[in-house]
């Protein structure tokens, strides 16, 4: 899977003539209103909803896990995966708008299932995609995120899991029953705040570790291409391990090639597929090229600055790094993980709904929403 996905990133980068060079145009378009365009939510709303689903625990704990298992070189491979993944995200966004249709309630719907059916005439593959999406959503966007929130709040503030379960379940219910417009409204207010809050914490740690940044960058780059010897705060790690874990975390964090983000891209108000494709591609830039890179720099520089930090476990490594911020370090990390995980639950609920709608129509969505909320609550309780 790693070879196929990264290979696709490289192939599309070349065949599309490096769409990464248009990233600043893409960022500008994401905050520019496209007047007279068709769709249900703004391009920015579609972007932040997809970011809500992708910016989750993978950007924090996931990067730490990659560093723990693959060494500092994993940060480079995670970052480079995001750079080339921009091309794949561009292609996904373009196809989502090109092949989207108007649903039973007048909303625009699209995604890989419609591209497979209308573009390749492979309805059987579209059906399989939707089945896998609806099932995978309970793992990627529900139970994993619920477990992260529950464990964090219990360990940090000793909040009983059932209390957390009730609050999060009610919060999710209040949002998802308003559909994509409700999800987009919440994410538009939520995502920029949580990203800025988390990035500010990362920048503060990097400021404290400023004298080690040169060594950090050198270590990341050299470890990406040469075996990392034991010592210097790190266990021995091979180039293959660094690439394997770095690429895997990069692919999981930005979801380029998974087919999830195009589902919400299809709902965007845009006059043509290319504009939304550019906007969608900027999501991978923010997710991996910026946030995952910052997280990686924070973790590696913290290990160099404080060799006594436990870097054998991803969660412990992240907590130790943020604990170096006086007074508010644990708060920044806790708020970051809780908000990231909560927004991921919202985003993936929409992806799953569109898959269910394709398979059986809108009449099944209300039942799926109920099951979605019940699973959240009982996972917290467990």
């Amino acid at each position: 899977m790693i070879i196929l996905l990264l290979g696709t990133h490289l192939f599309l980068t070349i065949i599309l003539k490096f769409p990464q060079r248009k990233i600043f145009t893409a960022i500008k378009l994401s905050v520019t209103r496209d007047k007279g365009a068709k769709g249900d939510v703004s391009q920015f709303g579609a972007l932040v909803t997809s970011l809500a689903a992708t910016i989750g625990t993978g950007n924090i704990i996931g990067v730490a896990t990659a560093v723990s298992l693959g060494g500092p070189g994993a940060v480079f491979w995670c970052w480079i995966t995001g750079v080339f993944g921009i091309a794949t995200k561009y292609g996904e966004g373009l196809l989502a708008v090109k092949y989207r249709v108007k649903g039973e309630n007048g909303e625009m719907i699209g995604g890989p299932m419609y591209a497979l059916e209308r573009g390749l005439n492979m309805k059987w593959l579209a059906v399989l995609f939707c089945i896998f999406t609806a099932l995978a959503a309970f793992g990627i966007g529900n139970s994993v995120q619920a477990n992260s929130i529950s464990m964090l709040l219990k360990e940090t503030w000793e909040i009983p899991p059932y209390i957390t379960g009730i609050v999060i379940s009610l919060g999710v219910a209040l949002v998802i029953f308003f559909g994509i417009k409700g999800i987009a409204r919440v994410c538009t207010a939520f995502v920029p705040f949580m990203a800025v809050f988390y990035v500010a914490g990362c920048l503060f740690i990097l400021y404290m570790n400023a004298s080690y940044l040169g060594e950090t960058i050198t270590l990341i780059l050299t470890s990406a291409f040469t075996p990392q010897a034991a010592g210097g705060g790190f266990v021995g790690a091979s180039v293959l391990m660094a690439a394997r874990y770095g690429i895997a975390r990069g692919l999981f964090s930005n979801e380029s090639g998974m087919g999830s983000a195009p589902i919400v891209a299809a709902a965007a108000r845009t006059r043509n597929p290319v504009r939304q494709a550019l906007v969608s591609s900027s999501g991978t830039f923010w997710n991996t090229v910026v946030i995952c890179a910052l997280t990686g720099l924070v973790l590696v520089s913290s290990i160099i600055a404080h060799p006594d930090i436990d870097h054998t476990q991803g969660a412990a490594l992240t907590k130790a790094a943020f604990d170096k911020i006086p007074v508010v370090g644990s708060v920044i990390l806790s708020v970051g993980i809780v908000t990231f995980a909560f927004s991921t639950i919202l985003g993936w609920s929409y992806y799953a709904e569109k898959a269910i709608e394709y398979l059986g129509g809108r009449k099944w969505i209300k039942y799926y929403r109920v099951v979605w909320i019940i699973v959240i609550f009982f996972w917290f309780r467990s």
Side-chain angles (χ1 to χ4, degrees):
M1 288 301 298
I2 289 174
I3 293 172
L4 287 172
L5 285 170
L6 184 59
T8 300
H9 292 351
L10 292 169
F11 173 78
L12 289 176
T13 293
I14 295 169
I15 207 72
L16 295 175
K17 300 179 180 179
F18 292 85
Q20 292 89 340
R21 60 193 171 87
K22 296 286 187 179
I23 193 62
F24 293 109
T25 300
I27 294 171
K28 181 181 178 181
L29 287 174
S30 69
V31 293
T32 303
R33 184 177 180 182
D34 198 359
K35 297 180 180 179
K38 296 179 180 179
D40 304 306
V41 296
S42 67
Q43 289 180 304
F44 183 71
L47 173 63
V48 295
T49 301
S50 67
L51 281 174
T54 54
I55 299 180
T57 54
N59 298 82
I60 306 176
I61 307 299
V63 175
T65 301
V67 172
S68 298
L69 298 175
V75 177
F76 171 81
W77 291 110
C78 181
W79 182 81
I80 207 70
T81 301
V83 171
F84 288 113
I86 289 173
T88 301
K89 190 61 72 75
Y90 173 91
E92 290 180 307
L94 188 145
L95 294 174
V97 176
K98 178 178 175 61
Y99 291 108
R100 68 183 181 180
V101 299
K102 187 170 289 189
E104 298 173 10
N105 61 345
E107 292 182 352
M108 290 292 187
I109 53 177
M113 50 281 208
Y114 293 93
L116 289 168
E117 178 186 349
R118 304 180 68 213
L120 294 177
N121 196 29
M122 292 184 176
K123 186 174 177 63
W124 65 272
L125 198 54
V127 170
L128 283 179
F129 173 82
C130 289
I131 292 172
F132 295 148
T133 298
L135 294 175
F138 283 106
I140 298 173
N142 190 311
S143 58
V144 171
Q145 309 303 327
N147 184 59
S148 298
I149 297 174
S150 178
M151 288 179 60
L152 177 73
L153 296 182
K154 188 176 187 302
E155 292 175 4
T156 305
W157 291 302
E158 297 184 353
I159 299 176
Y162 75 91
I163 297 294
T164 306
I166 292 173
V167 174
I168 298 297
S169 298
L170 288 176
V172 170
L174 289 173
V175 176
I176 67 174
F177 277 96
F178 285 97
I180 181 57
K181 293 182 179 179
I183 294 173
R185 278 195 296 268
V186 172
C187 291
T188 299
F190 214 46
V191 173
F193 161 75
M194 70 182 190
V196 169
F197 191 71
Y198 177 72
V199 168
C202 289
L203 292 176
F204 187 81
I205 295 175
L206 292 178
Y207 172 76
M208 293 193 301
N209 297 340
S211 59
Y212 299 96
L213 285 183
E215 182 181 353
T216 297
I217 294 172
T218 300
L219 182 60
I220 288 173
L221 293 176
T222 55
S223 299
F225 300 100
T226 57
Q228 174 64 37
F234 293 96
V235 296
S238 67
V239 176
L240 185 61
M241 287 175 63
R244 181 256 183 272
Y245 288 107
I247 293 171
R249 299 319 304 180
L251 292 171
F252 183 72
S253 70
N254 61 55
E255 296 182 14
S256 294
M258 282 183 62
S260 50
I263 297 175
V264 70
R269 287 193 291 268
T270 184
R271 75 184 76 162
N272 62 60
V274 173
R275 289 176 66 91
Q276 182 55 37
L278 286 169
V279 172
S280 294
S281 70
S282 69
T284 299
F285 172 80
W286 292 120
N287 186 292
T288 307
V289 179
V290 175
I291 294 180
C292 283
L294 280 175
T295 302
L297 287 172
V298 164
L299 297 173
V300 177
S301 65
S302 295
I303 294 173
I304 295 174
H306 310 282
D308 59 320
I309 283 181
D310 178 14
H311 62 276
T312 59
Q313 298 292 330
L317 171 57
T318 308
K319 186 177 185 302
F322 275 84
D323 279 346
K324 299 302 179 182
I325 302 178
V327 184
V328 297
S330 61
V331 175
I332 292 175
L333 179 61
S334 299
V335 171
I337 291 179
V338 170
T339 53
F340 284 1
F342 180 75
S343 66
T344 300
I345 292 173
L346 295 180
W348 267 92
S349 70
Y350 178 74
Y351 297 159
E353 285 182 13
K354 294 298 107 176
I356 292 296
E357 183 174 351
Y358 181 87
L359 292 172
R362 288 191 58 81
K363 63 180 180 292
W364 295 103
I365 290 180
K366 58 184 178 182
Y367 301 112
Y368 191 89
R369 287 173 177 170
V370 172
V371 173
W372 184 264
I373 294 166
I374 290 173
V375 170
I376 293 174
F377 175 71
F378 280 99
W379 195 272
F380 274 113
R381 288 192 61 189
S382 63

